[in-house]
Amino acid sequence: MNNLPLPPVIAIDGPSASGKGSVAERVAAYFGFHYLDSGAIYRLLAYAALRQHVDWSDAPALSTLASQLQIRFEHGEAWLQDEIVSTQIRSEQMGKGASEVAVHPAVRLALLQTQRNFRQAPGLVGDGRDIGSVIFPDARLKVFLTAAVETRAQRRYQQLTQRGEDADYALILADLQQRDWRDSQRTVAPLKQLPDAMLLDTTDKNIDEAVNIIITAYKKAAQID
Ligand code: CDP
């Protein structure tokens, strides 16, 4: 048995389009930590299911698929078996698919170890909905990153139009409200702020400000100068 301490984890959880991904990636780069985009794993599962004609409501078939899923992230790209699928999984359709497959307890359980395997030295920054509650409850720092739903809808709108995609603000807002509801009402691992998580509301903050707040909080938690 080795008694080496496990690498430290910074858990960043929060609702859709709160900026978790960009913030988490920058915090990881600052500390030289690995990065786990747990939403991408649910998106990959939704995409693999679509390709194999497995329905997003079919929990038994999805959990079998989840336990066999061959995924990896390399140089900023998401791979499904031998194929780069980064663009495909970023679509709004796969965002919806991810949120549908993610409601099934058996699916979440099948993906638990996949996510824990990302915990490698020197440390990990993970973002999602249940990183601090279920995946890494012993995280050194837990952050609940959020923003007003209208602000998040505005950010998502800008992101899509910058990518040259069609976007409709009212539809995005309605979709976010529905996803917030689904994420917070599900029985397993619902999205909520943990009592031991730091609340970071970015309604009036840009990415740099949010990143700096987390870096400072982690240094304090880990007693780094
Ligand atoms: O944040 P956004 O919804 O834009 O995308 P995401 O972080 O890629 O996550 C996609 C969906 O997966 C979310 O809407 C959640 O329903 C689900 N998810 C989850 O249930 N648990 C996680 N740890 C991460 C994502």
Side-chain angles (χ1 to χ4, degrees):
M1 271 240 343
N2 87 52
N3 290 317
L4 287 176
L6 288 166
V9 174
I10 300 175
I12 304 180
D13 289 304
S16 288
S18 54
K20 298 183 305 286
S22 326
V23 170
E25 230 172 341
R26 291 199 204 180
V27 173
Y30 179 89
F31 290 113
F33 283 6
H34 299 278
Y35 168 51
L36 163 64
D37 174 358
S38 64
I41 296 180
Y42 288 95
R43 286 169 183 265
L44 278 162
L45 176 62
Y47 182 67
L50 188 76
R51 290 239 297 229
Q52 299 197 22
H53 308 289
V54 170
D55 205 277
W56 290 337
S57 63
D58 186 346
L62 283 170
S63 43
T64 305
L65 189 60
S67 57
Q68 296 163 348
L69 211 59
Q70 285 181 34
I71 56 165
R72 66 198 153 91
F73 300 98
E74 248 174 47
H75 312 299
E77 303 284 6
W79 293 73
L80 182 61
Q81 285 172 321
D82 301 326
E83 206 187 322
I84 294 179
V85 295
S86 316
T87 312
Q88 292 91 318
I89 66 164
R90 285 292 141 217
S91 68
E92 288 300 277
Q93 190 200 5
M94 287 314 131
K96 183 169 180 287
S99 118
E100 288 187 25
V101 301
V103 300
H104 308 299
V107 167
R108 304 195 73 87
L109 188 64
L111 293 176
L112 184 71
Q113 198 53 47
T114 310
Q115 295 175 78
R116 287 194 175 152
N117 291 341
F118 280 80
R119 186 176 200 166
Q120 305 277 344
L124 176 72
V125 181
D127 86 60
R129 306 292 189 284
D130 61 347
I131 302 296
S133 57
V134 177
I135 313 298
F136 302 113
D138 64 333
R140 189 75 63 84
L141 176 70
K142 300 181 187 181
V143 179
F144 189 77
L145 192 77
T146 189
V149 69
E150 294 79 8
T151 309
R152 291 187 276 126
Q154 191 59 43
R155 289 179 188 161
R156 178 58 50 93
Y157 175 82
Q158 269 167 10
Q159 203 180 40
L160 291 172
T161 49
Q162 272 164 15
R163 287 207 303 236
E165 290 179 34
D166 277 344
D168 177 329
Y169 175 81
L171 278 180
I172 295 172
L173 179 64
D175 181 62
L176 280 181
Q177 282 164 331
Q178 195 188 21
R179 220 178 283 184
D180 282 358
W181 188 84
R182 196 162 34 219
D183 285 350
S184 58
Q185 296 303 310
R186 68 177 173 225
T187 46
V188 192
L191 173 70
K192 62 171 193 293
Q193 189 193 342
L194 298 167
D196 57 347
M198 173 179 103
L199 174 67
L200 182 46
D201 186 328
T202 65
T203 305
D204 301 313
K205 287 185 180 61
N206 62 30
I207 291 187
D208 287 340
E209 290 169 314
V211 169
N212 286 332
I213 290 171
I214 297 177
I215 289 173
T216 306
Y218 180 71
K219 285 182 174 173
K220 198 170 162 214
Q223 295 176 330
I224 302 169
D225 294 324

